[in-house]
Amino acid sequence: MAVAFAASQSYSGSEHTQSRRNIISTRQVQPQKPPSVDLPALQNASRVLLDHFNQDAQIIPDLGEAITNSGQVSVSYSIFPDDIRVPYQKRRFVGIPDGLFQYYDSASVTSNMGIMPQIERVWITIDHKLFLWDYNDGHEISSFVDQPDVITHVALVKPKSGLFIDEISSLLVICTPVSVLLIGLSTSLRPGSISKEIKLYATDLAIPSDVEMTSVVGTADGRIFMCGSQDGNLYELHYQENESWFGKRIQLINHSVGGVQSLLPRFASSNSEDRIVSLVSDIERNCFYTLTFKNSISVYKPAAEKSIQHVQTISNIYKAAQDKAPGSPAITPQNFQVISLHPMKPSESRAGVQLIAITTNGVRLYFAPALSYGYSYGGGSSTSLQLVHVRLPPSNLIHPDEQNNSHRPSMATYGGPQVQPVATSRPYIVSSIEHSCYTEGLTVATQQGDTDGADYILCLAPDLTRMGSLGQVAPVAQSGQTQHFGSYNGTTSNSRPPLTEYATLLSIPGRTWAMATVPHSSSTTPAGAPSPSVINELSKQFGESTQQFMLLTNVGLTFLAKRRATDYLKAVLEELQSEGNVQSIIQLRDSFGRDQTCSMLLALASGNTYLDSTEGSNTISMINADIAAVAKQAFYDFGERPIWTERVTYGTSDNQGTALFSGRREGLAFYFARLVRPFWKAKVTTQGPAGQVLAISDVTLTIIQKNLFSLKDFLDKNPQLFHSSPSDPASSRTPVTEQEAWRVEQNSVNELLSLLTRTIEALSFILLLNDYRLGDLISQCDTGTQKLISSQTFEDLITTQNGMTISRALVNVVIDQQIGQQISVDTISEVLQNRCGSFCSTDDVMLYKAKENVRKAVETRSPTERQNWLSEALRLFIKGARILDFEKLREICGDFQQLNYAKGAVELPLVYAQVMDPDNVGLEYWHSGTPANDYRFDFAEKRLQSYDLIMDSLSAFDDKCNAAKESGEPSSLDTPEAVRTHAYELAFLSKDEMFHSTLYDWLISRGLADDLLEMRPPYLEAHLRRDPPTVQKYQLLWQFYVKNGQPLRAAEVLAALAESTQFDLDLDARVEYLTLAVANAKSHPVSAGGRHETAIAFLTDLEEKLDVARVQLEVYNHLAPHIDDAPEVGARINLLTKRLFTMTELYQDYAIPFDLPVIKLLCLHVSEHRDDTIVRPIWNQIFEEVFQEASDPSTQADLLMGRIVPLGQRFYPSESAFPLRHIATLVVRFKLNNRNSVPTGWASRLLIQSGVPYTEIWDIFHEMYESQIPPFNDQANVQAISSEIAILFSDWLQEAMRPQSSIGRGEFPVGRIDTAIDQYVAELEASRTETRTTFENVKRQLHRYW
């Protein structure tokens, strides 16, 4: 096995190179520019961290749970003979300074000593002298000798607030056999050192006492309690600022016998059967405990001033312990003596275990509130404590002398049975413990050794490999001894393993006087993240220094450090490297599980500030390079490979699978999660006295960042660690599933690495801002951003869009601050880019430099320099436009306006519009007519906002130009007129059609439509044709076509406008548009575009529509006076103004219902519809209406003249509307019927005035004359017609002879008339002399002139 492991160390680089080629990362960083922040990837990685937070909170039970799992009694220990797994290690010994021994000036001195870790001092008394020894420095000693009595006890307590000067942070309580006094104490760090400097202050607070006090404890609010060593009573040392009627400035109150007795002098010691021997304060629960000589424990709570509340007393503890562990040799009346009490922090036990009592022979008794165990103890209070668990001491401890042999277990094959070590020849059982110390699951106790001048230390610590669920493959086979007690250990409340501890004995020189824990800052977990149990050192060992204990003996101070899992691993690696022993590391891997081992190996290989187990430092600790190489190789080999598991869904062909990640990925995730847990879910800021301040100390963040950077540096140098290993020929998995597993793992690792880089940069960013006074920067942000910052966690800052928003806002504030102070932004930009590139990208830097260039442009007086600065600023703004927010863009455009920089004011918003809509989604939305409820709306809206800025600039340039004209400024290149002209030129040069459309609308709204038509820019036609159509667009469009030499298209637009129903146009306007359409259609040249036939057809159609429209207008004008007659009538008439009607609609819906004969004739005339059955009744109606209007024939004749003549003039020769023969017949009949009232010639003259030619009238009258059809079969009527013909000839001749007559002389039918007159005269009755004379005059004139 060792050979195999060694061989695997020299893996081939070429194989890994090939593997790297086969693995394709889904998110590869492009080297050309800083990668854009991939938020989904960061969020995926963050979920991995949260998952490992949860695992850390679950893999190790807390102490309360472990105790509960163990039942009522437990005695499970892991005892190892080798020093690799010994749980504690003596790290340092500091001897008592020689200078102190000079004070031992006689053999009969009284000396006491103890430890005050809060101020890093050991106190030593020699008779009346008190010395405070700085054990960190080793030689520094402070002394207090200003009182004469022998000092028996010294304690350090917290002072009451407000009674002393601010510098005093602690009080020394000095007890002598006859008095108690208080000394003030302050601490401060020595310059250039980590050790503390102390100062003592006299307080004038002292009180005589006839009882010697001991076991002094303080409370959080400054009260002081103690017990009398002679009487065993409970005392309180009460002190106040001033004396009063009701109390002295300092007094001792005996709470055991009541306040009154405490004021009386004592002449005898107490005769109480039991007495208090020690007090212990429980600061977190605001109570304290007392222990009596007879093993009773009492609980007290401070109440009102000078009073306390006795909560309970637990007695018969021996009986309770014996009931839980009957028959145990460790619990007998002779050896059962409780020697110390230790409160457990609330965070140590969710089950509420509160107090541990330790006996002289190492039995530990655990007390918890009774209520949580189903019944109450003693007084029945819900907070009453009762004994819930007995932990028996180990009975087979290896003697320290044998432990030092450091022998190893014999070699065994991997997976085979473990060989038990040789039984120890001197099993050791503790029996006389004198001192003990406890913190966070760790117990250390001392008793006198069996050799002179040495004490033995019992060291106990939880064995996480036996208690935790660490993913061990098989039950852990230990090479040490395991001890159980009877059948009790197996009676557990659930399947989780019971409390098991490492146990060992160590030897130290001298006799122990005191023990204490070294002050230790534990890593904390923010409220939002699950917290691991206090004893889970796997989760804490890389975020805090190891726990240490101090043991003070008469020869010096021994520092005892808890050895963590990492320390075991480091020792194993050293053994492997030096001796080639692979068994130990395999055993450790099997004990801690693959993933936890990989996590620790990665930490060791990459380095960590807490690798040195004694102190956490600000520098990375690295193990030996050879050991680190072994750790790296072990990380790779133990990590194994990812596995693909498929779930077959029965009944379908779909197989879904998941990847089980390798130990390498899990180790990385665990280590990463543990490093960032102290801040990941913490708010970035908290509210301080003067605004927001950093919520996590910068020291903590700096240390974590160093560890993260060390990890990243290691992974960057060793990319092969996460690539696939050579394929295993024995594998049953198909290559496809194996590749899928590797692909998923590679993706996950890449995401974690991205998050690692981003997190390091985030911490740099926050620390940098903190240097610039973070609170002040936040206060300069807008209110919304301030609220956002106050609610953001570090996780949010690193992985969300809100985090990017606030980081950019804060960077902008910093840069603005620099620019405001006229400091170049290059330095800060370079720092930001180098330290936190993803928080200050190249684009960010470009923007900052651009802003600086604008500032320089403002300051310079040279026009050339100004243009250069502005050009450079514009270039940089354009390059960084994608990260500009809109308000910042508005501000920049305002600067450009002020500086008369037209190019920037126009071009930058155009670029910004394109950048905000990179895929032209908003443009597509605009082209598709801006449908409602469309996701693309936002993109289009961003474009429009940008365009509005350009319009604003153009408007500003217009205003400046107008103002300059009014003031009469001379023209030059930089005049407002030139700037404005340039701005418009740039705007019209744009290729953005959506912008052009917006620009045209803006210009039209400002009354500049005519100017726009004169320019005819490229997108104007498309803009005017765009939906939604408007009257204004149509009007401009037809004018555009006219100016563009396209009259036919203008006619089409006008026709569409006239016929549209979506616009509220009046009828006159529609007729006007049709008239213009006809005029433009007629202007279309014959050869234009080969559309001649189409144009003629279109013109014909337009003319017809125009005719109908005019009819409609006439109908409307005719009916308009009746619009208020009735609602339905008015509604129908109003319809005529809403749209254009067809002729049929006009005839059917208006002419007929409203009985309008003239309109009917007009409809027939325009439509050229010839139907005698329709037209004759209309004319009959016209005559009937006249006859109804008047009864007098001559009046009727005048009315008929007034009706028929206009219609004839309008409609003749249209037979559709003016059927001549029918009308002539009606006229002649009227004449015949009224021959005596109507003058001769009336009929012929009526027709002539109606526009009928003379020859037409003569033809019709002659037909009547010859027809013999009634009424012309009557000779009187024939003679009347002859008279009408005579008048007709006379009028005709006069017209032909009239100068400038419309009848040419050649057109006059002289011969025909001459012949006809002969006929008419021959057939004329003799009585018609007037007619004869008329005929003869005509004939005479014919012969005279022709």
Side-chain angles (χ1 to χ4, degrees):
M1 189 67 198
V3 174
F5 187 88
S8 68
Q9 290 189 43
S10 58
Y11 52 78
S12 166
S14 62
E15 288 175 338
H16 279 270
T17 303
Q18 187 61 41
S19 301
R20 286 201 296 276
R21 293 193 189 112
N22 295 336
I23 300 297
I24 300 173
S25 167
T26 58
R27 289 187 179 86
Q28 292 184 346
V29 175
Q30 298 296 323
Q32 292 85 353
K33 58 181 182 178
S36 59
V37 179
D38 186 348
L39 290 179
L42 296 178
Q43 288 158 4
N44 290 341
S46 182
R47 282 191 285 274
V48 173
L49 298 188
L50 295 178
D51 176 57
H52 285 74
F53 290 166
N54 283 313
Q55 289 187 54
D56 263 346
Q58 296 165 5
I59 56 175
I60 305 293
D62 73 11
L63 269 174
E65 188 181 348
I67 288 167
T68 306
N69 293 341
S70 303
Q72 294 189 345
V73 62
S74 64
V75 61
S76 179
Y77 293 94
S78 300
I79 300 169
F80 295 96
D82 60 274
D83 57 2
I84 282 185
R85 280 169 291 183
V86 67
Y88 292 84
Q89 182 176 7
K90 290 178 282 186
R91 286 300 172 101
R92 186 159 64 105
F93 174 78
V94 184
I96 294 175
D98 295 338
L100 275 177
F101 290 106
Q102 65 181 322
Y103 295 101
Y104 291 90
D105 49 9
S106 69
S108 59
V109 297
T110 302
S111 181
N112 293 287
M113 60 180 76
I115 309 174
M116 295 176 177
Q118 304 94 318
I119 60 170
E120 300 174 357
R121 296 292 188 275
V122 165
W123 63 268
I124 300 173
T125 65
I126 301 174
D127 291 336
H128 68 284
K129 297 182 279 288
L130 169 64
F131 301 97
L132 297 175
W133 166 42
D134 180 352
Y135 50 76
N136 285 328
D137 177 83
H139 301 287
E140 179 74 24
I141 300 172
S142 306
S143 62
F144 173 73
V145 294
D146 295 344
Q147 63 86 40
D149 301 307
V150 172
I151 300 173
T152 55
H153 183 72
V154 181
L156 191 74
V157 297
K158 187 175 180 181
K160 292 180 179 177
S161 62
L163 262 63
F164 305 99
I165 60 173
D166 293 341
E167 285 79 3
I168 293 178
S169 57
S170 308
L171 291 178
L172 283 175
V173 183
I174 299 175
C175 303
T176 73
V178 294
S179 65
V180 180
L181 67 152
L182 300 179
I183 302 295
L185 184 143
S186 70
T187 62
S188 59
L189 279 176
R190 286 196 180 98
S193 170
I194 59 167
S195 62
K196 293 179 179 177
E197 189 173 23
I198 63 170
K199 288 184 182 177
L200 301 180
Y201 298 83
T203 63
D204 200 25
L205 290 171
I207 187 170
S209 168
D210 54 348
V211 177
E212 180 185 319
M213 297 296 164
T214 187
S215 194
V216 179
V217 298
T219 64
D221 57 359
R223 294 178 70 175
I224 303 171
F225 297 94
M226 56 195 73
C227 67
S229 57
Q230 290 94 346
D231 60 9
N233 285 347
L234 173 62
Y235 290 87
E236 178 178 4
L237 180 65
H238 175 75
Y239 61 98
Q240 58 193 33
E241 190 168 11
N242 297 305
E243 288 196 18
S244 67
W245 288 102
F246 303 101
K248 296 178 180 178
R249 191 170 174 222
I250 183 167
Q251 63 185 118
L252 273 172
I253 301 167
N254 187 339
H255 288 297
S256 294
V257 297
V260 176
Q261 262 194 351
S262 68
L263 301 176
L264 304 176
R266 291 184 60 85
F267 299 103
S269 62
S270 169
N271 58 2
S272 169
E273 292 185 0
D274 200 5
R275 62 189 183 85
I276 297 170
V277 293
S278 67
L279 275 68
V280 177
S281 181
D282 189 341
I283 298 292
E284 294 193 45
R285 296 183 181 88
N286 191 31
C287 66
F288 62 92
Y289 312 97
T290 64
L291 172 65
T292 68
F293 180 74
K294 294 187 176 179
N295 301 324
S296 289
I297 299 171
S298 295
V299 186
Y300 295 91
K301 277 186 175 294
E305 191 172 274
K306 300 184 185 179
S307 66
I308 57 174
Q309 175 194 354
H310 173 242
V311 179
Q312 74 172 117
T313 296
I314 311 168
S315 53
N316 296 323
I317 294 174
Y318 166 73
K319 178 68 168 61
Q322 194 177 45
D323 289 346
K324 292 188 183 297
S328 169
I331 303 176
T332 63
Q334 295 78 25
N335 60 14
F336 191 83
Q337 180 65 50
V338 176
I339 54 107
S340 57
L341 303 177
H342 302 284
M344 280 176 66
K345 296 175 184 174
S347 59
E348 292 186 58
S349 169
R350 286 186 289 270
V353 179
Q354 183 171 329
L355 184 67
I356 305 173
I358 299 179
T359 68
T360 53
N361 59 346
V363 175
R364 281 168 289 166
L365 310 171
Y366 293 85
F367 295 87
L371 196 62
S372 61
Y373 288 86
Y375 62 94
S376 74
Y377 182 93
S381 164
S382 63
T383 57
S384 293
L385 298 178
Q386 72 170 22
L387 178 64
V388 294
H389 185 77
V390 175
R391 179 108 177 117
L392 299 175
S395 59
N396 57 344
L397 288 165
I398 301 172
H399 194 280
D401 293 346
E402 296 192 4
Q403 184 80 44
N404 289 336
N405 294 337
S406 303
H407 67 274
R408 307 272 182 238
S410 58
M411 300 293 285
T413 56
Y414 175 54
Q418 297 295 329
V419 178
Q420 293 295 326
V422 179
T424 176
S425 57
R426 298 168 65 187
Y428 194 89
I429 299 174
V430 293
S431 58
S432 55
I433 290 175
E434 297 169 347
H435 302 277
S436 66
C437 199
Y438 170 85
T439 182
E440 298 183 350
L442 309 178
T443 306
V444 175
T446 64
Q447 76 168 45
Q448 188 171 0
D450 54 11
T451 57
D452 287 340
D455 274 3
Y456 291 165
I457 319 169
L458 173 63
C459 304
L460 305 170
D463 182 355
L464 304 187
T465 66
R466 303 272 300 279
M467 294 170 60
S469 304
L470 305 179
Q472 302 97 322
V473 177
V476 179
Q478 301 281 8
S479 61
Q481 305 174 27
T482 302
Q483 176 183 351
H484 300 288
F485 174 73
S487 63
Y488 297 102
N489 192 61
T491 312
T492 58
S493 58
N494 58 34
S495 60
R496 295 202 71 160
L499 174 61
T500 305
E501 292 175 297
Y502 291 118
T504 192
L505 271 183
L506 299 178
S507 172
I508 59 168
R511 291 304 323 280
T512 306
W513 278 82
M515 303 176 69
T517 58
V518 175
H520 171 256
S521 57
S522 298
S523 62
T524 57
T525 302
S531 180
S533 69
V534 168
I535 62 172
N536 183 1
E537 72 175 21
L538 293 173
S539 70
K540 301 188 300 180
Q541 59 187 340
F542 298 113
E544 61 183 57
S545 56
T546 188
Q547 184 66 60
Q548 294 186 81
F549 296 88
M550 294 180 285
L551 291 84
L552 178 63
T553 67
N554 55 350
V555 296
L557 193 63
T558 299
F559 286 83
L560 191 68
K562 167 70 176 68
R563 295 181 76 238
R564 304 158 299 178
T566 320
D567 300 315
Y568 301 164
L569 178 58
K570 191 159 52 168
V572 164
L573 290 173
E574 289 168 354
E575 180 183 336
L576 174 62
Q577 198 269 333
S578 61
E579 302 177 18
N581 178 15
V582 74
Q583 185 63 38
S584 294
I585 193 168
I586 290 174
Q587 187 175 333
L588 185 142
R589 190 271 313 269
D590 294 342
S591 297
F592 284 98
R594 180 196 70 177
D595 298 346
Q596 301 301 328
T597 304
C598 283
S599 172
M600 292 188 285
L601 285 167
L602 180 59
L604 287 172
S606 62
N608 182 278
T609 52
Y610 294 99
L611 278 187
D612 180 359
S613 60
T614 53
E615 295 289 340
S617 68
N618 289 335
T619 56
I620 295 292
S621 301
M622 298 295 296
I623 56 176
N624 173 286
D626 294 335
I627 306 298
V630 176
K632 179 172 73 173
Q633 184 61 54
F635 172 75
Y636 185 84
D637 291 335
F638 282 165
E640 300 174 337
R641 67 179 72 223
I643 299 172
W644 185 259
T645 61
E646 288 192 349
R647 290 196 308 276
V648 179
T649 307
Y650 293 101
T652 71
S653 60
D654 294 337
N655 291 352
Q656 294 181 332
T658 54
L660 299 179
F661 294 108
S662 73
R664 292 189 290 279
R665 185 270 195 183
E666 288 297 285
L668 169 62
F670 267 120
Y671 183 48
F672 188 3
R674 287 162 178 171
L675 289 178
V676 301
R677 191 185 67 246
F679 70 81
W680 196 252
K681 283 290 186 180
K683 294 283 176 64
V684 176
T685 63
T686 186
Q687 194 62 37
Q692 294 187 49
V693 296
L694 199 55
I696 305 290
S697 80
D698 55 351
V699 174
T700 300
L701 295 180
T702 302
I703 292 173
I704 293 173
Q705 186 196 34
K706 286 180 178 177
N707 289 325
L708 291 172
F709 185 81
S710 181
L711 172 62
K712 179 181 181 300
D713 184 58
F714 173 75
L715 296 176
D716 288 345
K717 292 175 180 174
N718 297 278
Q720 74 281 359
L721 290 176
F722 290 100
H723 291 163
S724 58
S725 58
S727 185
D728 180 2
S731 173
S732 61
R733 285 167 282 138
T734 65
V736 174
T737 56
E738 183 175 340
Q739 288 173 16
E740 186 63 19
W742 278 111
R743 187 188 66 78
V744 172
E745 169 145 318
Q746 192 69 41
N747 283 353
S748 181
V749 169
N750 286 340
E751 289 173 344
L752 285 169
L753 294 178
S754 297
L755 184 61
L756 176 61
T757 302
R758 173 87 172 157
T759 304
I760 292 168
E761 292 187 0
L763 294 179
S764 288
F765 179 66
I766 286 296
L767 291 168
L768 185 66
L769 293 183
N770 204 43
D771 291 341
Y772 281 90
R773 303 170 91 84
L774 179 62
D776 293 347
L777 298 178
I778 293 173
S779 66
Q780 293 175 49
C781 296
D782 61 77
T783 309
T785 304
Q786 289 186 40
K787 283 186 179 176
L788 193 59
I789 293 171
S790 67
S791 67
Q792 295 294 288
T793 63
F794 279 86
E795 179 192 22
D796 297 332
L797 174 70
I798 293 166
T799 66
T800 68
Q801 188 60 52
N802 279 344
M804 297 186 71
T805 301
I806 64 174
S807 61
R808 184 157 292 136
L810 288 168
V811 170
N812 285 338
V813 170
V814 173
I815 297 296
D816 287 343
Q817 197 177 74
Q818 297 283 296
I819 293 174
Q821 295 169 2
Q822 308 231 335
I823 301 171
S824 171
V825 297
D826 287 345
T827 305
I828 181 66
S829 298
E830 191 175 336
V831 170
L832 283 165
Q833 269 202 289
N834 290 340
R835 291 196 201 167
C836 37
S838 63
F839 288 83
C840 179
S841 65
T842 309
D843 289 342
D844 288 317
V845 175
M846 281 190 292
L847 293 186
Y848 305 142
K849 289 184 177 177
K851 286 176 67 177
E852 190 172 26
N853 286 338
V854 171
R855 175 177 65 82
K856 290 176 180 176
V858 171
E859 293 170 355
T860 186
R861 294 185 178 181
S862 163
T864 306
E865 281 189 7
R866 181 182 300 114
Q867 283 301 311
N868 291 340
W869 288 126
L870 289 173
S871 296
E872 180 61 14
L874 176 60
R875 185 184 71 80
L876 294 171
F877 277 133
I878 287 174
K879 287 184 72 175
R882 66 188 177 86
I883 61 161
L884 266 180
D885 62 66
F886 182 73
E887 287 307 314
K888 188 64 70 178
L889 175 67
R890 186 197 300 279
E891 184 182 316
I892 295 164
C893 288
D895 291 340
F896 286 154
Q897 288 173 23
Q898 293 298 317
L899 293 164
N900 288 328
Y901 188 47
K903 185 177 174 70
V906 173
E907 288 188 0
L908 181 57
L910 285 172
V911 171
Y912 185 79
Q914 185 60 51
V915 165
M916 289 297 103
D917 184 23
D919 299 322
N920 290 327
V921 173
L923 195 59
E924 289 171 9
Y925 171 75
W926 178 77
H927 274 302
S928 62
T930 63
N933 301 322
D934 193 304
Y935 79 97
R936 299 173 295 178
F937 168 80
D938 290 338
F939 292 96
E941 190 64 20
K942 286 177 182 174
R943 278 181 171 266
L944 291 173
Q945 285 180 338
S946 303
Y947 302 153
D948 285 344
L949 293 181
I950 300 175
M951 309 313 157
D952 182 60
S953 294
L954 293 175
S955 181
F957 294 144
D958 282 340
D959 293 343
K960 285 187 178 183
C961 186
N962 295 333
K965 284 179 181 176
E966 290 174 9
S967 64
E969 286 183 16
S971 62
S972 70
L973 289 175
D974 291 332
T975 58
E977 176 65 35
V979 172
R980 180 181 72 165
T981 303
H982 185 44
Y984 278 102
E985 285 172 355
L986 290 167
F988 282 113
L989 283 173
S990 168
K991 300 287 191 242
D992 185 340
E993 184 180 352
M994 186 174 172
F995 165 67
H996 272 271
S997 185
T998 310
L999 174 63
Y1000 302 156
D1001 278 337
W1002 181 76
L1003 289 170
I1004 292 166
S1005 71
R1006 291 166 66 89
L1008 298 171
D1010 291 341
D1011 297 325
L1012 200 56
L1013 290 172
E1014 287 299 326
M1015 289 180 62
R1016 298 199 297 282
Y1019 298 105
L1020 182 57
E1021 179 183 358
H1023 166 71
L1024 296 174
R1025 296 185 71 88
R1026 258 187 61 75
D1027 289 336
T1030 64
V1031 174
Q1032 188 181 41
K1033 279 186 179 179
Y1034 273 119
Q1035 288 174 332
L1036 292 172
L1037 185 59
W1038 78 260
Q1039 292 176 65
F1040 171 83
Y1041 285 136
V1042 169
K1043 289 182 181 293
N1044 215 33
Q1046 297 173 283
L1048 191 61
R1049 301 198 73 171
E1052 289 169 351
V1053 174
L1054 285 161
L1057 183 57
E1059 294 181 65
S1060 68
T1061 56
Q1062 64 195 110
F1063 306 128
D1064 189 18
L1065 296 171
D1066 60 40
L1067 192 51
D1068 287 322
R1070 292 179 189 275
V1071 173
E1072 181 187 354
Y1073 292 141
L1074 276 176
T1075 305
L1076 288 167
V1078 170
N1080 276 288
K1082 287 178 177 178
S1083 301
H1084 178 65
V1086 174
S1087 61
R1091 297 180 58 192
H1092 188 56
E1093 291 81 3
T1094 309
I1096 292 172
F1098 177 60
L1099 173 60
T1100 305
D1101 183 53
L1102 278 181
E1103 289 175 326
E1104 290 175 356
K1105 287 177 178 174
L1106 177 59
D1107 290 341
V1108 175
R1110 285 171 174 159
V1111 173
Q1112 183 174 334
L1113 182 60
E1114 191 165 334
V1115 172
Y1116 178 73
N1117 291 335
H1118 192 87
L1119 293 175
H1122 304 283
I1123 204 162
D1124 296 324
D1125 289 1
E1128 60 275 12
V1129 171
R1132 178 173 286 195
I1133 295 171
N1134 273 325
L1135 274 177
L1136 288 166
T1137 65
K1138 302 299 181 187
R1139 64 181 178 86
L1140 293 179
F1141 285 70
T1142 64
M1143 190 62 80
T1144 303
E1145 288 174 323
L1146 290 172
Y1147 191 83
Q1148 298 289 347
D1149 297 345
Y1150 291 92
I1152 292 175
F1154 287 99
D1155 194 18
L1156 307 171
V1158 175
I1159 299 301
K1160 291 177 185 176
L1161 293 176
L1162 182 59
C1163 291
L1164 293 169
H1165 167 66
V1166 172
S1167 61
E1168 297 181 354
H1169 180 74
R1170 186 168 181 176
D1171 187 342
D1172 289 347
T1173 61
I1174 295 175
V1175 72
R1176 287 184 177 183
I1178 296 171
W1179 280 102
N1180 294 342
Q1181 181 186 353
I1182 290 170
F1183 277 79
E1184 288 300 324
E1185 286 177 353
V1186 170
F1187 299 154
Q1188 289 173 9
E1189 285 181 34
S1191 56
D1192 175 43
S1194 71
T1195 305
Q1196 288 175 343
D1198 292 340
L1199 288 172
L1200 284 173
M1201 182 72 76
R1203 299 280 173 85
I1204 296 169
V1205 169
L1207 294 176
Q1209 290 172 348
R1210 185 171 185 183
F1211 297 137
Y1212 179 83
S1214 168
E1215 284 295 317
S1216 302
F1218 198 81
L1220 182 58
R1221 279 172 171 71
H1222 181 65
I1223 295 168
T1225 302
L1226 293 175
V1227 168
V1228 169
R1229 285 187 175 180
F1230 174 76
K1231 170 69 177 69
L1232 295 177
N1233 292 336
N1234 299 283
R1235 66 187 67 185
N1236 297 324
S1237 303
V1238 177
T1240 303
W1242 175 84
S1244 61
R1245 285 172 176 159
L1246 183 148
L1247 292 173
I1248 287 167
Q1249 288 180 39
S1250 296
V1252 183
Y1254 289 93
T1255 182
E1256 286 283 330
I1257 301 171
W1258 178 31
D1259 288 345
I1260 292 169
F1261 282 4
H1262 186 71
E1263 284 175 13
M1264 292 177 182
Y1265 181 84
E1266 296 283 358
S1267 68
Q1268 298 296 316
I1269 296 171
F1272 303 109
N1273 57 356
D1274 182 349
Q1275 190 58 37
N1277 291 339
V1278 172
Q1279 291 299 310
I1281 284 297
S1282 180
S1283 298
E1284 286 293 325
I1285 291 171
I1287 297 297
L1288 176 69
F1289 282 172
S1290 176
D1291 290 348
W1292 193 356
L1293 181 62
Q1294 294 299 321
E1295 178 62 26
M1297 292 172 67
R1298 184 174 61 81
Q1300 299 176 345
S1301 170
S1302 60
I1303 302 170
R1305 287 176 66 87
E1307 294 174 12
F1308 191 73
V1310 178
R1312 187 178 162 213
I1313 292 176
D1314 187 50
T1315 305
I1317 289 175
D1318 290 343
Q1319 179 190 350
Y1320 296 144
V1321 169
E1323 296 173 359
L1324 189 65
E1325 289 180 352
S1327 59
R1328 290 191 170 268
T1329 57
E1330 189 177 341
T1331 301
R1332 185 181 299 277
T1333 302
T1334 303
F1335 276 131
E1336 289 173 348
N1337 285 337
V1338 169
K1339 193 172 178 70
R1340 190 181 306 117
Q1341 289 188 38
L1342 287 175
H1343 289 176
R1344 180 183 301 173
Y1345 294 107
W1346 277 274

